[in-house]
Amino acid sequence: MSARAKRSRSSASARKRTSARTGRRVQQPIEYSLLLTATLCLLAFGVVMVFSASSTTSLLGDSGDGAYYLKRTLLFGVIGLLIMRVLSVRGVRIVRPLTGALLFVSLAGLLAVMLPGVGTEVNGARRWIDVGFFQVQPSEFAKVALVLYGAHLLATRPNLTRSIPDMGPFLAAVAVVCLLVALEPDLGTAMVACFGSAALLLTAGARVRDLALIGAALAAFVVLAILIEPYRMERLTGFLNPSHDPAGAGFQATQAKIALGSGGILGVGLGESVQKAFYLPEAHTDMIAAVVGEELGFLGILMLVGLYGLFAYAGLRTAQRARDRYTKLLAAGLTTLVCIQAVINLFAVMGLAPLTGVPLPFVSYGNSSMLTMLAAVGLLLNIARAPAGRLRVVEGGAGRTSGRATTSRKSGTVATNRHRSRRHSGARRARAGGRRRAAR
């Protein structure tokens, strides 16, 4: 353990002791408050919009319960908040020793989902494992496990970023995870995992030229993956020219544009969407932003973008002020996972990118996505709790402590200077007394 990490840990322990003695709650850093506020606002916003987007279809569908998706969202939201709370207190200390095990379990899940008797196929994709009341999506957990593994590997072996061959161990793990995810098929989640890995490499000090070469190779792979899969070609042509086949490949993109156009600036009103009633496919999951645009208008979309922007700012500030290399890398990777997923989803809904099936974090309905995103926020909050250089313990004169802790470097510097001045003044008085005795 580095000397800086030891000082940070001792500072955190001293802060806890001080708060216990004074009986006052220690104020958390601003990044912590911003992350928590943005997450809770997005979560509350998502609960309302999931109910609004799904009530009609679920009432007229097989379940016959207009609040079916609302109840499940609330249930897994509460479970996710409990996980977030636990990880916000001791997350890094719990998760880091389990990094290898989490990656292994994620890879096992990605392999198991392809087995005929294990994986559940929905809309032509085999991405879920049915465990009763809960469908597990291994790809959601795999992308977080990949960031955990990358942060640990790049923190313990800084020389991995010197060149592309040196990045081999990490790039091999990224390639295996992304290939298994793309075979489900789920190219959107694979792209999110690649962007998160790129953020780790960039934060760890990799050269932009090397990342550009890796990105070019990845772009070639994406083009090849699109060409060999007819449904991906249909999505691409539907993105480039939705009006060419408005009832087929361009149907979802066309309906999303109709929803956004109908909303205007202020929207048609909460719960008043027409497109969600069997016109807009997957209205409560992938296309929930279109329902937001129709019911709450441009201002609703702007509010969403503002909350994600606030989350990105707080997350990157947390990475910048992290106490060591591992937490810095982990905060950057997790923030990128959340924000790039939001960008891909919003771009697809607004017709700025092809449809990928990536849910909107904290807002779309999705049990696995909800749990993994809230777990990621818990780790971010844990990192934000103890930034580097936040606490200093001030000791008083000889043989006793002042019993105070200060939260600024300036206070520690002033106290240290006072201690030095008293010591030097004592030495000067002693020398002056010796000279007077010698004069006598």
Side-chain angles (χ1 to χ4, degrees), residues 4 8 92 96 147-148 150-152 154-156 196-205 312 314-336 379-380 382-384 386-389 409:
R4 184 179 180 182
S8 177
V92 174
R96 189 171 188 183
V147 170
L148 290 170
H152 175 74
L154 294 173
T156 53
S197 303
L200 284 176
L201 290 171
L202 186 63
T203 308
L316 295 179
R317 282 278 298 174
T318 298
Q320 185 182 24
R321 301 186 61 197
R323 58 184 177 268
D324 54 37
R325 181 177 173 85
Y326 171 72
T327 52
K328 186 182 295 291
L329 292 170
L330 184 59
L334 294 176
T335 302
T336 303
L379 291 172
L380 283 172
N382 182 238
I383 297 171
R409 296 182 179 180

mmCIF file of all heavy atoms in Angstrom, residues 4 8 92 96 147-148 150-152 154-156 196-205 312 314-336 379-380 382-384 386-389 409:
data_model
loop_
_atom_site.group_PDB
_atom_site.id
_atom_site.type_symbol
_atom_site.label_atom_id
_atom_site.label_comp_id
_atom_site.label_asym_id
_atom_site.label_seq_id
_atom_site.Cartn_x
_atom_site.Cartn_y
_atom_site.Cartn_z
ATOM 1 N N ARG A 4 0.563 7.430 0.296
ATOM 2 C CA ARG A 4 -0.588 8.322 0.105
ATOM 3 C C ARG A 4 -1.885 7.634 0.508
ATOM 4 O O ARG A 4 -2.757 8.245 1.130
ATOM 5 C CB ARG A 4 -0.648 8.744 -1.362
ATOM 6 C CG ARG A 4 -1.757 9.742 -1.665
ATOM 7 C CD ARG A 4 -1.720 10.116 -3.124
ATOM 8 N NE ARG A 4 -2.776 11.074 -3.435
ATOM 9 C CZ ARG A 4 -3.009 11.542 -4.652
ATOM 10 N NH1 ARG A 4 -2.245 11.154 -5.656
ATOM 11 N NH2 ARG A 4 -3.984 12.391 -4.879
ATOM 12 N N SER A 8 -4.505 8.668 3.471
ATOM 13 C CA SER A 8 -5.921 8.879 3.213
ATOM 14 C C SER A 8 -6.791 8.035 4.140
ATOM 15 O O SER A 8 -7.796 8.487 4.667
ATOM 16 C CB SER A 8 -6.222 8.532 1.747
ATOM 17 O OG SER A 8 -7.580 8.656 1.487
ATOM 18 N N VAL A 92 -15.721 -0.216 -2.276
ATOM 19 C CA VAL A 92 -14.418 -0.531 -2.861
ATOM 20 C C VAL A 92 -13.725 -1.633 -2.072
ATOM 21 O O VAL A 92 -13.124 -2.550 -2.642
ATOM 22 C CB VAL A 92 -13.550 0.738 -2.927
ATOM 23 C CG1 VAL A 92 -12.143 0.408 -3.397
ATOM 24 C CG2 VAL A 92 -14.186 1.771 -3.858
ATOM 25 N N ARG A 96 -13.202 -4.955 -4.566
ATOM 26 C CA ARG A 96 -11.900 -5.154 -5.196
ATOM 27 C C ARG A 96 -11.341 -6.564 -4.999
ATOM 28 O O ARG A 96 -10.829 -7.151 -5.963
ATOM 29 C CB ARG A 96 -10.897 -4.110 -4.691
ATOM 30 C CG ARG A 96 -9.598 -4.153 -5.494
ATOM 31 C CD ARG A 96 -8.678 -3.013 -5.190
ATOM 32 N NE ARG A 96 -7.553 -2.993 -6.107
ATOM 33 C CZ ARG A 96 -6.548 -2.131 -6.053
ATOM 34 N NH1 ARG A 96 -6.538 -1.182 -5.126
ATOM 35 N NH2 ARG A 96 -5.569 -2.197 -6.931
ATOM 36 N N VAL A 147 -15.230 -3.346 -16.212
ATOM 37 C CA VAL A 147 -14.642 -2.097 -15.710
ATOM 38 C C VAL A 147 -13.905 -2.334 -14.395
ATOM 39 O O VAL A 147 -12.811 -1.802 -14.173
ATOM 40 C CB VAL A 147 -15.746 -1.028 -15.538
ATOM 41 C CG1 VAL A 147 -15.216 0.187 -14.782
ATOM 42 C CG2 VAL A 147 -16.278 -0.602 -16.894
ATOM 43 N N LEU A 148 -14.471 -3.153 -13.512
ATOM 44 C CA LEU A 148 -13.796 -3.478 -12.256
ATOM 45 C C LEU A 148 -12.461 -4.173 -12.516
ATOM 46 O O LEU A 148 -11.444 -3.850 -11.895
ATOM 47 C CB LEU A 148 -14.691 -4.377 -11.398
ATOM 48 C CG LEU A 148 -15.942 -3.729 -10.795
ATOM 49 C CD1 LEU A 148 -16.846 -4.792 -10.182
ATOM 50 C CD2 LEU A 148 -15.563 -2.697 -9.746
ATOM 51 N N GLY A 150 -10.664 -4.051 -15.321
ATOM 52 C CA GLY A 150 -9.733 -3.127 -15.971
ATOM 53 C C GLY A 150 -9.128 -2.135 -14.999
ATOM 54 O O GLY A 150 -7.926 -1.839 -15.064
ATOM 55 N N ALA A 151 -9.930 -1.605 -14.084
ATOM 56 C CA ALA A 151 -9.403 -0.661 -13.095
ATOM 57 C C ALA A 151 -8.365 -1.330 -12.207
ATOM 58 O O ALA A 151 -7.308 -0.745 -11.903
ATOM 59 C CB ALA A 151 -10.542 -0.100 -12.249
ATOM 60 N N HIS A 152 -8.624 -2.558 -11.786
ATOM 61 C CA HIS A 152 -7.665 -3.274 -10.934
ATOM 62 C C HIS A 152 -6.385 -3.587 -11.697
ATOM 63 O O HIS A 152 -5.275 -3.391 -11.175
ATOM 64 C CB HIS A 152 -8.304 -4.558 -10.428
ATOM 65 C CG HIS A 152 -7.378 -5.428 -9.634
ATOM 66 N ND1 HIS A 152 -6.992 -5.118 -8.343
ATOM 67 C CD2 HIS A 152 -6.719 -6.583 -9.953
ATOM 68 C CE1 HIS A 152 -6.170 -6.045 -7.895
ATOM 69 N NE2 HIS A 152 -5.986 -6.935 -8.852
ATOM 70 N N LEU A 154 -5.092 -2.140 -14.502
ATOM 71 C CA LEU A 154 -4.336 -0.955 -14.901
ATOM 72 C C LEU A 154 -3.768 -0.210 -13.692
ATOM 73 O O LEU A 154 -2.782 0.519 -13.826
ATOM 74 C CB LEU A 154 -5.229 -0.015 -15.709
ATOM 75 C CG LEU A 154 -5.690 -0.568 -17.060
ATOM 76 C CD1 LEU A 154 -6.714 0.355 -17.703
ATOM 77 C CD2 LEU A 154 -4.508 -0.778 -18.008
ATOM 78 N N ALA A 155 -4.373 -0.390 -12.522
ATOM 79 C CA ALA A 155 -3.835 0.245 -11.319
ATOM 80 C C ALA A 155 -2.620 -0.495 -10.797
ATOM 81 O O ALA A 155 -1.661 0.125 -10.310
ATOM 82 C CB ALA A 155 -4.910 0.316 -10.238
ATOM 83 N N THR A 156 -2.633 -1.813 -10.883
ATOM 84 C CA THR A 156 -1.512 -2.609 -10.367
ATOM 85 C C THR A 156 -0.371 -2.733 -11.380
ATOM 86 O O THR A 156 0.763 -2.992 -10.989
ATOM 87 C CB THR A 156 -1.993 -4.016 -9.983
ATOM 88 O OG1 THR A 156 -2.681 -4.608 -11.099
ATOM 89 C CG2 THR A 156 -2.946 -3.943 -8.794
ATOM 90 N N GLY A 196 -16.561 2.170 -22.170
ATOM 91 C CA GLY A 196 -16.092 2.167 -20.791
ATOM 92 C C GLY A 196 -14.644 1.740 -20.680
ATOM 93 O O GLY A 196 -13.864 2.316 -19.903
ATOM 94 N N SER A 197 -14.250 0.746 -21.475
ATOM 95 C CA SER A 197 -12.853 0.293 -21.476
ATOM 96 C C SER A 197 -11.929 1.368 -22.035
ATOM 97 O O SER A 197 -10.811 1.563 -21.539
ATOM 98 C CB SER A 197 -12.730 -1.000 -22.296
ATOM 99 O OG SER A 197 -13.586 -2.004 -21.799
ATOM 100 N N ALA A 198 -12.394 2.075 -23.072
ATOM 101 C CA ALA A 198 -11.582 3.161 -23.633
ATOM 102 C C ALA A 198 -11.367 4.277 -22.619
ATOM 103 O O ALA A 198 -10.280 4.862 -22.535
ATOM 104 C CB ALA A 198 -12.258 3.710 -24.888
ATOM 105 N N ALA A 199 -12.406 4.571 -21.821
ATOM 106 C CA ALA A 199 -12.255 5.588 -20.774
ATOM 107 C C ALA A 199 -11.220 5.160 -19.740
ATOM 108 O O ALA A 199 -10.436 5.984 -19.252
ATOM 109 C CB ALA A 199 -13.603 5.850 -20.105
ATOM 110 N N LEU A 200 -11.185 3.880 -19.398
ATOM 111 C CA LEU A 200 -10.179 3.375 -18.467
ATOM 112 C C LEU A 200 -8.770 3.564 -19.028
ATOM 113 O O LEU A 200 -7.864 4.034 -18.333
ATOM 114 C CB LEU A 200 -10.425 1.895 -18.182
ATOM 115 C CG LEU A 200 -11.572 1.535 -17.245
ATOM 116 C CD1 LEU A 200 -11.720 0.023 -17.164
ATOM 117 C CD2 LEU A 200 -11.327 2.098 -15.858
ATOM 118 N N LEU A 201 -8.587 3.189 -20.287
ATOM 119 C CA LEU A 201 -7.258 3.300 -20.897
ATOM 120 C C LEU A 201 -6.825 4.759 -20.995
ATOM 121 O O LEU A 201 -5.655 5.091 -20.748
ATOM 122 C CB LEU A 201 -7.269 2.651 -22.282
ATOM 123 C CG LEU A 201 -7.400 1.121 -22.305
ATOM 124 C CD1 LEU A 201 -7.611 0.624 -23.724
ATOM 125 C CD2 LEU A 201 -6.154 0.482 -21.699
ATOM 126 N N LEU A 202 -7.751 5.630 -21.367
ATOM 127 C CA LEU A 202 -7.412 7.047 -21.480
ATOM 128 C C LEU A 202 -7.045 7.627 -20.122
ATOM 129 O O LEU A 202 -6.066 8.385 -19.990
ATOM 130 C CB LEU A 202 -8.592 7.806 -22.087
ATOM 131 C CG LEU A 202 -8.360 9.285 -22.401
ATOM 132 C CD1 LEU A 202 -7.272 9.444 -23.448
ATOM 133 C CD2 LEU A 202 -9.656 9.934 -22.883
ATOM 134 N N THR A 203 -7.803 7.285 -19.090
ATOM 135 C CA THR A 203 -7.499 7.771 -17.745
ATOM 136 C C THR A 203 -6.189 7.208 -17.232
ATOM 137 O O THR A 203 -5.460 7.883 -16.493
ATOM 138 C CB THR A 203 -8.642 7.389 -16.784
ATOM 139 O OG1 THR A 203 -9.885 7.831 -17.328
ATOM 140 C CG2 THR A 203 -8.441 8.025 -15.416
ATOM 141 N N ALA A 204 -5.864 5.971 -17.625
ATOM 142 C CA ALA A 204 -4.626 5.335 -17.165
ATOM 143 C C ALA A 204 -3.386 5.874 -17.859
ATOM 144 O O ALA A 204 -2.274 5.546 -17.455
ATOM 145 C CB ALA A 204 -4.717 3.830 -17.369
ATOM 146 N N GLY A 205 -3.557 6.699 -18.911
ATOM 147 C CA GLY A 205 -2.404 7.312 -19.564
ATOM 148 C C GLY A 205 -2.092 6.775 -20.936
ATOM 149 O O GLY A 205 -1.003 7.030 -21.467
ATOM 150 N N ALA A 312 -22.653 13.259 -14.996
ATOM 151 C CA ALA A 312 -21.337 13.165 -15.633
ATOM 152 C C ALA A 312 -20.333 14.108 -14.972
ATOM 153 O O ALA A 312 -19.175 13.729 -14.714
ATOM 154 C CB ALA A 312 -21.456 13.484 -17.118
ATOM 155 N N ALA A 314 -20.373 15.316 -11.853
ATOM 156 C CA ALA A 314 -20.028 14.847 -10.512
ATOM 157 C C ALA A 314 -19.161 13.593 -10.572
ATOM 158 O O ALA A 314 -18.223 13.435 -9.788
ATOM 159 C CB ALA A 314 -21.300 14.579 -9.716
ATOM 160 N N GLY A 315 -19.460 12.686 -11.509
ATOM 161 C CA GLY A 315 -18.669 11.467 -11.620
ATOM 162 C C GLY A 315 -17.238 11.724 -12.047
ATOM 163 O O GLY A 315 -16.291 11.134 -11.501
ATOM 164 N N LEU A 316 -17.046 12.609 -13.017
ATOM 165 C CA LEU A 316 -15.683 12.917 -13.473
ATOM 166 C C LEU A 316 -14.917 13.723 -12.428
ATOM 167 O O LEU A 316 -13.699 13.570 -12.283
ATOM 168 C CB LEU A 316 -15.745 13.669 -14.807
ATOM 169 C CG LEU A 316 -16.308 12.860 -15.978
ATOM 170 C CD1 LEU A 316 -16.357 13.700 -17.244
ATOM 171 C CD2 LEU A 316 -15.488 11.599 -16.216
ATOM 172 N N ARG A 317 -15.609 14.582 -11.702
ATOM 173 C CA ARG A 317 -14.956 15.286 -10.587
ATOM 174 C C ARG A 317 -14.535 14.304 -9.498
ATOM 175 O O ARG A 317 -13.471 14.447 -8.893
ATOM 176 C CB ARG A 317 -15.910 16.320 -10.006
ATOM 177 C CG ARG A 317 -16.029 17.589 -10.817
ATOM 178 C CD ARG A 317 -14.896 18.547 -10.533
ATOM 179 N NE ARG A 317 -14.877 18.979 -9.134
ATOM 180 C CZ ARG A 317 -13.927 19.727 -8.613
ATOM 181 N NH1 ARG A 317 -12.897 20.091 -9.365
ATOM 182 N NH2 ARG A 317 -13.976 20.097 -7.340
ATOM 183 N N THR A 318 -15.362 13.298 -9.264
ATOM 184 C CA THR A 318 -15.003 12.264 -8.304
ATOM 185 C C THR A 318 -13.753 11.523 -8.761
ATOM 186 O O THR A 318 -12.854 11.235 -7.957
ATOM 187 C CB THR A 318 -16.170 11.272 -8.137
ATOM 188 O OG1 THR A 318 -17.307 11.975 -7.631
ATOM 189 C CG2 THR A 318 -15.806 10.145 -7.187
ATOM 190 N N ALA A 319 -13.677 11.208 -10.050
ATOM 191 C CA ALA A 319 -12.477 10.547 -10.578
ATOM 192 C C ALA A 319 -11.252 11.444 -10.446
ATOM 193 O O ALA A 319 -10.152 10.978 -10.110
ATOM 194 C CB ALA A 319 -12.703 10.168 -12.040
ATOM 195 N N GLN A 320 -11.419 12.721 -10.694
ATOM 196 C CA GLN A 320 -10.288 13.651 -10.610
ATOM 197 C C GLN A 320 -9.760 13.777 -9.190
ATOM 198 O O GLN A 320 -8.549 13.888 -8.980
ATOM 199 C CB GLN A 320 -10.731 15.021 -11.132
ATOM 200 C CG GLN A 320 -9.618 16.047 -11.198
ATOM 201 C CD GLN A 320 -10.130 17.395 -11.675
ATOM 202 O OE1 GLN A 320 -11.316 17.712 -11.544
ATOM 203 N NE2 GLN A 320 -9.256 18.194 -12.234
ATOM 204 N N ARG A 321 -10.651 13.718 -8.202
ATOM 205 C CA ARG A 321 -10.247 13.927 -6.814
ATOM 206 C C ARG A 321 -10.079 12.624 -6.044
ATOM 207 O O ARG A 321 -9.942 12.648 -4.821
ATOM 208 C CB ARG A 321 -11.292 14.789 -6.112
ATOM 209 C CG ARG A 321 -11.513 16.156 -6.760
ATOM 210 C CD ARG A 321 -12.443 16.993 -5.911
ATOM 211 N NE ARG A 321 -11.882 17.235 -4.591
ATOM 212 C CZ ARG A 321 -12.587 17.644 -3.547
ATOM 213 N NH1 ARG A 321 -13.892 17.799 -3.664
ATOM 214 N NH2 ARG A 321 -12.017 17.851 -2.380
ATOM 215 N N ALA A 322 -10.102 11.485 -6.737
ATOM 216 C CA ALA A 322 -9.999 10.195 -6.061
ATOM 217 C C ALA A 322 -8.659 10.063 -5.345
ATOM 218 O O ALA A 322 -7.652 10.660 -5.731
ATOM 219 C CB ALA A 322 -10.171 9.058 -7.064
ATOM 220 N N ARG A 323 -8.644 9.234 -4.298
ATOM 221 C CA ARG A 323 -7.502 9.171 -3.403
ATOM 222 C C ARG A 323 -6.357 8.325 -3.935
ATOM 223 O O ARG A 323 -5.237 8.425 -3.442
ATOM 224 C CB ARG A 323 -7.930 8.631 -2.036
ATOM 225 C CG ARG A 323 -8.568 7.265 -2.065
ATOM 226 C CD ARG A 323 -9.040 6.847 -0.686
ATOM 227 N NE ARG A 323 -9.712 5.563 -0.698
ATOM 228 C CZ ARG A 323 -11.007 5.393 -0.846
ATOM 229 N NH1 ARG A 323 -11.765 6.457 -1.026
ATOM 230 N NH2 ARG A 323 -11.557 4.198 -0.833
ATOM 231 N N ASP A 324 -6.592 7.437 -4.904
ATOM 232 C CA ASP A 324 -5.505 6.619 -5.451
ATOM 233 C C ASP A 324 -5.819 6.274 -6.902
ATOM 234 O O ASP A 324 -6.876 6.621 -7.430
ATOM 235 C CB ASP A 324 -5.274 5.345 -4.612
ATOM 236 C CG ASP A 324 -6.535 4.516 -4.436
ATOM 237 O OD1 ASP A 324 -7.330 4.439 -5.397
ATOM 238 O OD2 ASP A 324 -6.741 3.964 -3.340
ATOM 239 N N ARG A 325 -4.888 5.575 -7.533
ATOM 240 C CA ARG A 325 -5.006 5.284 -8.959
ATOM 241 C C ARG A 325 -6.190 4.355 -9.242
ATOM 242 O O ARG A 325 -6.915 4.548 -10.216
ATOM 243 C CB ARG A 325 -3.705 4.643 -9.443
ATOM 244 C CG ARG A 325 -3.670 4.309 -10.937
ATOM 245 C CD ARG A 325 -2.312 3.738 -11.329
ATOM 246 N NE ARG A 325 -2.309 3.269 -12.697
ATOM 247 C CZ ARG A 325 -2.079 4.025 -13.750
ATOM 248 N NH1 ARG A 325 -1.846 5.323 -13.582
ATOM 249 N NH2 ARG A 325 -2.079 3.514 -14.966
ATOM 250 N N TYR A 326 -6.401 3.362 -8.396
ATOM 251 C CA TYR A 326 -7.484 2.408 -8.634
ATOM 252 C C TYR A 326 -8.843 3.097 -8.592
ATOM 253 O O TYR A 326 -9.673 2.912 -9.495
ATOM 254 C CB TYR A 326 -7.420 1.291 -7.591
ATOM 255 C CG TYR A 326 -8.620 0.382 -7.617
ATOM 256 C CD1 TYR A 326 -8.804 -0.531 -8.654
ATOM 257 C CD2 TYR A 326 -9.587 0.437 -6.610
ATOM 258 C CE1 TYR A 326 -9.912 -1.365 -8.692
ATOM 259 C CE2 TYR A 326 -10.695 -0.397 -6.639
ATOM 260 C CZ TYR A 326 -10.851 -1.296 -7.678
ATOM 261 O OH TYR A 326 -11.959 -2.106 -7.711
ATOM 262 N N THR A 327 -9.112 3.873 -7.558
ATOM 263 C CA THR A 327 -10.413 4.537 -7.457
ATOM 264 C C THR A 327 -10.590 5.591 -8.541
ATOM 265 O O THR A 327 -11.712 5.831 -9.001
ATOM 266 C CB THR A 327 -10.575 5.176 -6.068
ATOM 267 O OG1 THR A 327 -9.439 6.015 -5.784
ATOM 268 C CG2 THR A 327 -10.672 4.099 -4.992
ATOM 269 N N LYS A 328 -9.503 6.221 -8.971
ATOM 270 C CA LYS A 328 -9.601 7.187 -10.074
ATOM 271 C C LYS A 328 -10.054 6.493 -11.359
ATOM 272 O O LYS A 328 -10.952 6.960 -12.061
ATOM 273 C CB LYS A 328 -8.237 7.859 -10.276
ATOM 274 C CG LYS A 328 -8.232 8.991 -11.297
ATOM 275 C CD LYS A 328 -6.833 9.551 -11.453
ATOM 276 C CE LYS A 328 -6.347 10.203 -10.178
ATOM 277 N NZ LYS A 328 -7.086 11.435 -9.882
ATOM 278 N N LEU A 329 -9.437 5.354 -11.663
ATOM 279 C CA LEU A 329 -9.803 4.605 -12.857
ATOM 280 C C LEU A 329 -11.222 4.060 -12.752
ATOM 281 O O LEU A 329 -12.002 4.113 -13.717
ATOM 282 C CB LEU A 329 -8.820 3.458 -13.066
ATOM 283 C CG LEU A 329 -7.383 3.848 -13.436
ATOM 284 C CD1 LEU A 329 -6.453 2.639 -13.368
ATOM 285 C CD2 LEU A 329 -7.341 4.454 -14.836
ATOM 286 N N LEU A 330 -11.573 3.541 -11.586
ATOM 287 C CA LEU A 330 -12.899 2.958 -11.405
ATOM 288 C C LEU A 330 -13.995 4.010 -11.553
ATOM 289 O O LEU A 330 -15.016 3.773 -12.214
ATOM 290 C CB LEU A 330 -12.981 2.297 -10.028
ATOM 291 C CG LEU A 330 -14.281 1.551 -9.701
ATOM 292 C CD1 LEU A 330 -14.543 0.445 -10.712
ATOM 293 C CD2 LEU A 330 -14.221 0.981 -8.291
ATOM 294 N N ALA A 331 -13.790 5.188 -10.978
ATOM 295 C CA ALA A 331 -14.797 6.249 -11.084
ATOM 296 C C ALA A 331 -14.961 6.705 -12.533
ATOM 297 O O ALA A 331 -16.084 6.926 -13.002
ATOM 298 C CB ALA A 331 -14.400 7.427 -10.198
ATOM 299 N N ALA A 332 -13.859 6.836 -13.263
ATOM 300 C CA ALA A 332 -13.947 7.248 -14.663
ATOM 301 C C ALA A 332 -14.674 6.200 -15.504
ATOM 302 O O ALA A 332 -15.520 6.535 -16.350
ATOM 303 C CB ALA A 332 -12.548 7.495 -15.219
ATOM 304 N N GLY A 333 -14.373 4.919 -15.276
ATOM 305 C CA GLY A 333 -15.011 3.863 -16.052
ATOM 306 C C GLY A 333 -16.495 3.740 -15.775
ATOM 307 O O GLY A 333 -17.306 3.616 -16.705
ATOM 308 N N LEU A 334 -16.893 3.783 -14.507
ATOM 309 C CA LEU A 334 -18.302 3.651 -14.164
ATOM 310 C C LEU A 334 -19.114 4.853 -14.632
ATOM 311 O O LEU A 334 -20.251 4.709 -15.108
ATOM 312 C CB LEU A 334 -18.456 3.474 -12.651
ATOM 313 C CG LEU A 334 -17.889 2.173 -12.063
ATOM 314 C CD1 LEU A 334 -18.019 2.169 -10.549
ATOM 315 C CD2 LEU A 334 -18.574 0.962 -12.672
ATOM 316 N N THR A 335 -18.556 6.050 -14.514
ATOM 317 C CA THR A 335 -19.255 7.241 -15.006
ATOM 318 C C THR A 335 -19.475 7.157 -16.510
ATOM 319 O O THR A 335 -20.552 7.496 -17.022
ATOM 320 C CB THR A 335 -18.457 8.504 -14.657
ATOM 321 O OG1 THR A 335 -18.258 8.579 -13.240
ATOM 322 C CG2 THR A 335 -19.188 9.748 -15.115
ATOM 323 N N THR A 336 -18.466 6.680 -17.225
ATOM 324 C CA THR A 336 -18.594 6.543 -18.675
ATOM 325 C C THR A 336 -19.654 5.520 -19.043
ATOM 326 O O THR A 336 -20.423 5.725 -19.993
ATOM 327 C CB THR A 336 -17.240 6.138 -19.281
ATOM 328 O OG1 THR A 336 -16.251 7.109 -18.932
ATOM 329 C CG2 THR A 336 -17.329 6.046 -20.799
ATOM 330 N N LEU A 379 -20.720 2.421 -5.768
ATOM 331 C CA LEU A 379 -19.259 2.467 -5.786
ATOM 332 C C LEU A 379 -18.760 3.898 -5.998
ATOM 333 O O LEU A 379 -17.777 4.320 -5.380
ATOM 334 C CB LEU A 379 -18.729 1.552 -6.895
ATOM 335 C CG LEU A 379 -18.926 0.051 -6.667
ATOM 336 C CD1 LEU A 379 -18.530 -0.737 -7.915
ATOM 337 C CD2 LEU A 379 -18.113 -0.423 -5.473
ATOM 338 N N LEU A 380 -19.429 4.644 -6.869
ATOM 339 C CA LEU A 380 -19.042 6.042 -7.083
ATOM 340 C C LEU A 380 -19.210 6.869 -5.812
ATOM 341 O O LEU A 380 -18.353 7.703 -5.478
ATOM 342 C CB LEU A 380 -19.879 6.646 -8.210
ATOM 343 C CG LEU A 380 -19.492 6.270 -9.640
ATOM 344 C CD1 LEU A 380 -20.530 6.782 -10.627
ATOM 345 C CD2 LEU A 380 -18.124 6.836 -9.996
ATOM 346 N N ASN A 382 -19.042 5.757 -2.792
ATOM 347 C CA ASN A 382 -18.000 5.349 -1.857
ATOM 348 C C ASN A 382 -16.675 6.035 -2.176
ATOM 349 O O ASN A 382 -15.943 6.455 -1.275
ATOM 350 C CB ASN A 382 -17.836 3.832 -1.905
ATOM 351 C CG ASN A 382 -16.815 3.331 -0.923
ATOM 352 O OD1 ASN A 382 -15.833 2.688 -1.302
ATOM 353 N ND2 ASN A 382 -17.000 3.600 0.361
ATOM 354 N N ILE A 383 -16.373 6.181 -3.455
ATOM 355 C CA ILE A 383 -15.145 6.876 -3.853
ATOM 356 C C ILE A 383 -15.239 8.362 -3.527
ATOM 357 O O ILE A 383 -14.275 8.981 -3.090
ATOM 358 C CB ILE A 383 -14.884 6.660 -5.355
ATOM 359 C CG1 ILE A 383 -14.656 5.175 -5.639
ATOM 360 C CG2 ILE A 383 -13.689 7.476 -5.834
ATOM 361 C CD1 ILE A 383 -14.611 4.828 -7.117
ATOM 362 N N ALA A 384 -16.431 8.932 -3.735
ATOM 363 C CA ALA A 384 -16.607 10.363 -3.474
ATOM 364 C C ALA A 384 -16.569 10.692 -1.993
ATOM 365 O O ALA A 384 -16.323 11.854 -1.626
ATOM 366 C CB ALA A 384 -17.931 10.850 -4.067
ATOM 367 N N ALA A 386 -14.373 9.909 0.317
ATOM 368 C CA ALA A 386 -13.048 10.192 0.880
ATOM 369 C C ALA A 386 -12.079 10.594 -0.216
ATOM 370 O O ALA A 386 -11.218 9.821 -0.599
ATOM 371 C CB ALA A 386 -12.526 8.970 1.633
ATOM 372 N N PRO A 387 -12.208 11.804 -0.783
ATOM 373 C CA PRO A 387 -11.251 12.256 -1.789
ATOM 374 C C PRO A 387 -9.883 12.505 -1.170
ATOM 375 O O PRO A 387 -9.746 12.644 0.044
ATOM 376 C CB PRO A 387 -11.867 13.559 -2.319
ATOM 377 C CG PRO A 387 -12.698 14.044 -1.192
ATOM 378 C CD PRO A 387 -13.229 12.827 -0.506
ATOM 379 N N ALA A 388 -8.867 12.560 -1.990
ATOM 380 C CA ALA A 388 -7.498 12.751 -1.511
ATOM 381 C C ALA A 388 -7.334 14.120 -0.867
ATOM 382 O O ALA A 388 -7.823 15.132 -1.362
ATOM 383 C CB ALA A 388 -6.515 12.612 -2.674
ATOM 384 N N GLY A 389 -6.662 14.169 0.284
ATOM 385 C CA GLY A 389 -6.323 15.429 0.926
ATOM 386 C C GLY A 389 -7.496 16.152 1.537
ATOM 387 O O GLY A 389 -7.467 17.360 1.698
ATOM 388 N N ARG A 409 -6.536 21.902 3.928
ATOM 389 C CA ARG A 409 -5.090 21.897 3.995
ATOM 390 C C ARG A 409 -4.551 23.178 4.632
ATOM 391 O O ARG A 409 -3.518 23.177 5.282
ATOM 392 C CB ARG A 409 -4.523 21.750 2.579
ATOM 393 C CG ARG A 409 -4.892 20.418 1.937
ATOM 394 C CD ARG A 409 -4.267 20.308 0.576
ATOM 395 N NE ARG A 409 -4.593 19.030 -0.034
ATOM 396 C CZ ARG A 409 -4.168 18.659 -1.230
ATOM 397 N NH1 ARG A 409 -3.384 19.446 -1.919
ATOM 398 N NH2 ARG A 409 -4.512 17.493 -1.716
#
